Amino acid sequence: MSEIAATFEKYAAQIKEARELRALDDIRVAALGKKGEVSKMMQGLGKMSIDEKKVMGPALNGLKKDIASLIETRKEALENEALDAALASETMDMSLPVGAKAGTLHPVSQVMEEMAVIFSDMGFSAAEGPDIEDDFHNFTALNFPKGHPARDMHDTFFMTPDSEGEQKVLRTHTSPVQIRTMIKDKPPIRIIAPGRTYRCDSDQTHTPMFHQVEGLVIDKGIHMGHLKGVLMDFMSAFFETDVDVQFRPHHFPFTEPSAEMDVRYERVGSAIKIGQGEKWMEILGCGMVHPNVLRACGLDPDEYQGFAFGMGVDRLAMLKYGMPDLRDMFAADTRWLGHYGFNPLLQANLATGLS
Ligand code: PHE
């Protein structure tokens, strides 16, 4: 057998035996690599006579090609085997019931979903902003002048100043998203901004991290009547019953006039019933967007007006679903989640009921 034929037979046998891509590659290197056997044989061509070269040149090239093609074929076969094995071992039985072991949706997520459903039905879209906010968006543009006592009102968490001395904050409310939206978008604006907010506060009804949903409407000819209508409709839709509300004068630097909205409630045993009753519970802050805020965002207050509101999601979740202590919400206790959580497969919607 010629040397060429013997070399081919040797590698053909090895390639056939190769069980893994790694081993196959080792064979490739041994035969065809720069210092491989076939390459060395080819280097021998230089010392041959012209006649010998004429025969051996094409023969060696053929050998190289044949080995390369065997390797390629084997490689494909091995890759297919690996894929089949993966498919066989990673199958999922789609017919398995989700059943009792399914996770549950956290009440805060559920309530945010419910709010989004109600507001999107009224034509609002959702906007977002960062949790770590700068002084301009969290305070200055919202008409909190520098050194104004209203800044202390929020028990702010301050970040360490950066190399330029700028000190960011964990946003104390979702109102900075008002600013970001008014700077970015042209009126008419109709957004809600759900998100996390932070204040240095902790007791039965306060946690250092909590959730708000902000609302903002900017257009021509917007007035308090629009604000009241939207919020009254929202409350009845959210609590899925007629809810009586009242607006009390209040102060926020970024709205004028400002109000807090209360809902009627009564205690029945240890439970709180929202909607009717002799008592009032504060639910949210709201007001007409202050002209200074509009100006800070490049809007002319003589042309555009608007209203804004901000409500605590966790508080509303507690009231709607009867959870006694706000702090439990963020304790990550799976027993609590099992009890108060929601079926993640049931999407909140207005047609069949929110919850
Ligand atoms: N940002 C206010 C707060 O967190 C709530 C609010 C929002 C009030 C929008 C008026 C308008 O207390």
Side-chain angles (χ1 to χ4, degrees):
M1 206 196 293
S2 76
E3 197 194 347
I4 288 183
T7 310
F8 178 76
E9 290 303 327
K10 183 173 86 183
Y11 285 111
Q14 286 184 17
I15 291 166
K16 208 171 146 195
E17 289 301 307
R19 291 267 148 264
E20 287 170 40
L21 290 166
R22 256 271 202 54
L24 191 64
D25 202 53
D26 290 345
I27 299 170
R28 184 188 60 78
V29 172
L32 310 177
K34 264 200 192 122
K35 293 181 184 153
E37 193 171 351
V38 177
S39 309
K40 280 201 179 125
M41 288 163 83
M42 289 181 119
Q43 280 160 21
L45 283 171
K47 289 178 205 138
M48 290 179 194
S49 69
I50 293 197
D51 284 344
E52 274 179 313
K53 262 191 214 164
K54 269 192 186 154
V55 180
M56 288 303 282
L60 283 171
N61 266 329
L63 172 66
K64 192 175 161 184
K65 262 202 200 136
D66 290 347
I67 293 177
S69 114
L70 279 185
I71 290 177
E72 205 39 53
T73 312
R74 183 78 189 125
K75 192 174 160 206
E76 259 174 47
L78 286 177
E79 280 171 350
N80 283 338
E81 268 175 36
L83 184 62
D84 287 344
L87 286 175
S89 70
E90 291 167 18
T91 50
M92 217 191 308
D93 184 352
M94 301 299 274
S95 66
L96 278 178
V98 179
K101 282 210 177 121
T104 56
L105 207 57
H106 195 285
V108 169
S109 305
Q110 167 75 19
V111 162
M112 282 201 176
E113 276 296 314
E114 296 177 12
M115 291 178 173
V117 165
I118 299 167
F119 282 114
S120 78
D121 190 59
M122 295 187 197
F124 285 71
S125 53
E128 275 184 327
D131 286 22
I132 299 175
E133 194 47 282
D134 54 37
D135 185 274
F136 174 77
H137 291 93
N138 196 80
F139 292 123
T140 306
L142 286 164
N143 200 33
F144 290 75
K146 284 242 182 281
H148 191 277
R151 285 174 186 249
D152 300 334
M153 200 168 96
H154 278 184
D155 304 312
T156 312
F157 287 114
F158 289 96
M159 311 293 285
T160 315
D162 66 15
S163 53
E164 269 129 56
E166 192 194 342
Q167 191 168 31
K168 296 213 168 158
V169 300
L170 288 177
R171 66 176 174 191
T172 56
H173 49 178
T174 41
S175 300
V177 186
Q178 288 186 35
I179 304 300
R180 291 184 175 273
T181 307
M182 281 188 273
I183 289 176
K184 186 165 65 69
D185 298 341
K186 291 215 160 13
I189 290 170
R190 231 187 291 181
I191 56 118
I192 54 165
R196 292 194 185 95
T197 47
Y198 307 84
R199 286 179 209 175
C200 192
D201 214 349
S202 182
D203 59 38
Q204 197 179 357
T205 54
H206 296 89
T207 49
M209 186 283 303
F210 58 106
H211 299 83
Q212 287 190 335
V213 165
E214 189 83 8
L216 175 70
V217 170
I218 304 283
D219 205 346
K220 292 179 178 165
I222 297 290
H223 52 72
M224 278 294 269
H226 297 125
L227 164 66
K228 289 178 75 175
V230 163
L231 290 175
M232 286 159 73
D233 279 0
F234 169 79
M235 284 303 153
S236 294
F238 178 75
F239 285 108
E240 302 177 67
T241 175
D242 282 342
V243 177
D244 199 14
V245 307
Q246 76 176 7
F247 290 81
R248 261 181 306 102
H250 196 71
H251 171 78
F252 298 105
F254 38 93
T255 45
E256 180 58 37
S258 305
E260 277 187 336
M261 195 186 88
D262 305 333
V263 294
R264 263 193 209 282
Y265 78 99
E266 62 188 340
R267 278 185 190 279
V268 185
S270 66
I272 287 179
K273 236 181 125 216
I274 298 287
Q276 316 298 323
E278 288 309 307
K279 294 189 166 152
W280 294 101
M281 178 167 324
E282 182 234 314
I283 291 281
L284 57 80
C286 59
M288 300 305 293
V289 179
H290 197 290
N292 287 350
V293 175
L294 292 168
R295 273 187 218 108
C297 301
L299 294 171
D300 177 1
D302 290 331
E303 191 180 2
Y304 288 108
Q305 301 76 39
F307 66 81
F309 55 85
M311 52 184 129
V313 178
D314 321 86
R315 165 89 64 93
L316 283 168
M318 276 174 81
L319 289 176
K320 185 166 176 183
Y321 295 113
M323 286 155 294
D325 191 321
L326 196 62
R327 289 165 298 192
D328 294 338
M329 286 212 174
F330 310 117
D333 183 336
T334 50
R335 291 165 304 178
W336 187 90
L337 277 170
H339 183 75
Y340 287 110
F342 288 81
N343 183 341
L345 300 178
L346 295 181
Q347 284 260 320
N349 73 82
L350 286 174
T352 56
L354 288 171
S355 49

